Amino acid sequence: ISACLVGSEMCIRDRFWRVAAETTRSTSMIYFVIIGALLITFFMASTGVATTLTGYLLNTGLPPLSILFLIAVVFVLLGSVMDSMTIMMITASTMAGVVTGLGYDPVWWGIVMVMLVELGVVTPPFGLNLFVMKSVAPDTKLSDVYRGVMPFVLADIIKISLLILFPALTLWLPSLGQ
């Protein structure tokens, strides 16, 4: 990069190459996440882990609603330590088999799964988006961020609980197009 400083401003060419390098770095990280998730999904499918897990969950003898709430808790916990795209790529195929095996609609599950994962990324104490919020406002204490997000977490828990208890709420709008 050439030294193209005029006063304290960098020239447009230097800015362009800096942005291009940052974009390339971010894009390559996203591709590594996608490749890793695809490899994990492939190995789970080829070793039979996905089928075994699906069979185990379906044969526990628990009512379908109980299994769904257990899966919901797992998704929220995963959301607090991983980003949402990775969670969905790793778990979507296995959980779709479990949910359809329980007799639920896959479209309904897709909507609920996205909501669960997004709830996980804002749930204290480890929700990744909480730390993003903290970095945007560095003078704010993390405890203030936790307190500020709790009404939204509670509202999301109520909303997701209603959507799990009454799947017709989720499927009403898509059914209008049929």
Side-chain angles (χ1 to χ4, degrees), residues 105 107-109 111-112 115 162-164 166-178:
D105 188 286
V107 173
W108 168 83
W109 173 246
I111 293 167
V112 171
M115 290 178 167
L162 287 172
L163 293 178
I164 289 174
F166 307 105
L169 292 173
T170 308
L171 299 174
W172 173 72
L173 189 60
S175 70
L176 294 177
Q178 295 177 353

Side-chain angles (χ1 to χ4, degrees), residues 9-69:
E9 296 183 25
M10 291 195 317
C11 70
I12 294 173
R13 183 180 56 212
D14 290 343
R15 287 182 187 171
F16 171 79
W17 286 114
R18 185 174 45 116
V19 169
E22 290 173 11
T23 303
T24 303
R25 192 176 314 118
S26 298
T27 303
S28 64
M29 284 189 277
I30 290 170
Y31 275 113
F32 275 115
V33 167
I34 292 170
I35 291 168
L38 290 173
L39 284 172
I40 289 172
T41 304
F42 171 76
F43 285 120
M44 285 181 66
S46 63
T47 58
V49 171
T51 308
T52 304
L53 180 64
T54 301
Y56 174 75
L57 285 172
L58 293 176
N59 295 323
T60 58
L62 292 171
L65 209 51
S66 298
I67 294 173
L68 280 177
F69 276 108

Side-chain angles (χ1 to χ4, degrees), residues 10 25 33 39 44 55 63 70 73 86 99-100 112 139 155 159 167:
M10 291 195 317
R25 192 176 314 118
V33 167
L39 284 172
M44 285 181 66
L70 288 173
V73 168
T86 306
V99 170
T100 55
V112 171
D139 297 335
K159 174 183 66 179

Side-chain angles (χ1 to χ4, degrees), residues 115 153-164 169:
M115 290 178 167
V153 169
L154 293 174
D156 276 351
I157 290 171
I158 292 169
K159 174 183 66 179
I160 292 170
S161 298
L162 287 172
L163 293 178
I164 289 174
L169 292 173

Side-chain angles (χ1 to χ4, degrees), residues 59-131:
N59 295 323
T60 58
L62 292 171
L65 209 51
S66 298
I67 294 173
L68 280 177
F69 276 108
L70 288 173
I71 292 171
V73 168
V74 169
F75 268 88
V76 171
L77 291 175
L78 285 174
S80 35
V81 294
M82 297 169 66
D83 70 294
S84 51
M85 182 182 71
T86 306
I87 295 168
M88 288 187 284
M89 291 183 73
I90 292 173
T91 61
S93 60
T94 304
M95 289 300 117
V98 171
V99 170
T100 55
L102 292 171
Y104 291 98
D105 188 286
V107 173
W108 168 83
W109 173 246
I111 293 167
V112 171
M113 180 179 66
V114 169
M115 290 178 167
L116 287 169
V117 171
E118 294 304 323
L119 172 63
V121 296
V122 296
T123 303
F126 302 115
L128 296 178
N129 286 358
L130 298 173
F131 298 106

